[in-house]
């Protein structure tokens, strides 16, 4: 079945799937933009920290790493993944 979408601007309501629902408010859009920004910022933190790890350690990311570096990279990645998640 197709969804019927009708916007009634005078009443500030929308019909979606034959149910009346209030239109989103400015607060809703601000919250959504903040969440999207948080996801982008979290991803940027994770990527920047990953690039920094390989640049500062001198480890080529395409070559076989030592066991110690693999353990360090796992702990480092988990830490920065957690910190990135706090942004959201």
């Amino acid at each position: 079945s197709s969804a019927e979408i009708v916007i009634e601007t005078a009443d500030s309501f929308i019909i979606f799937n034959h149910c009346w629902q209030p239109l989103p408010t400015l607060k809703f859009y601000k919250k959504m933009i903040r969440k999207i920004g948080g996801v982008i910022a979290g991803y940027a933190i994770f990527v920047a920290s990953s690039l920094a790890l390989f640049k500062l350690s001198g480890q080529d990311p395409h070559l076989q790493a030592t066991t110690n570096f693999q353990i360090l990279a796992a702990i480092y990645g988990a830490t920065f993944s957690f910190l990135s998640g706090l942004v959201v």
Side-chain angles (χ1 to χ4, degrees):
S1 69
S2 64
E4 178 186 351
I5 299 175
V6 177
I7 298 175
E8 298 286 339
T9 55
D11 298 329
S12 298
F13 279 89
I14 187 170
I15 299 174
F16 184 73
N17 279 344
H18 307 287
C19 297
W20 284 96
Q21 297 178 1
L23 289 173
T25 61
L26 183 61
K27 183 179 178 183
F28 169 81
Y29 289 114
K30 285 181 178 180
K31 204 173 185 184
M32 184 64 65
I33 290 170
R34 184 171 181 211
K35 287 181 180 186
I36 291 169
V39 169
I40 293 169
Y43 181 74
I45 290 169
F46 181 71
V47 168
S49 67
S50 298
L51 293 173
L53 173 66
F54 287 105
K55 185 74 170 174
L56 295 174
S57 68
Q59 174 68 39
D60 185 350
H62 301 289
L63 296 178
Q64 180 66 34
T66 64
T67 304
N68 287 338
F69 183 80
Q70 290 176 2
I71 293 170
L72 171 72
I75 294 169
Y76 184 87
T79 301
F80 276 96
S81 292
F82 176 76
L83 292 175
S84 296
L86 291 178
V87 174
V88 177

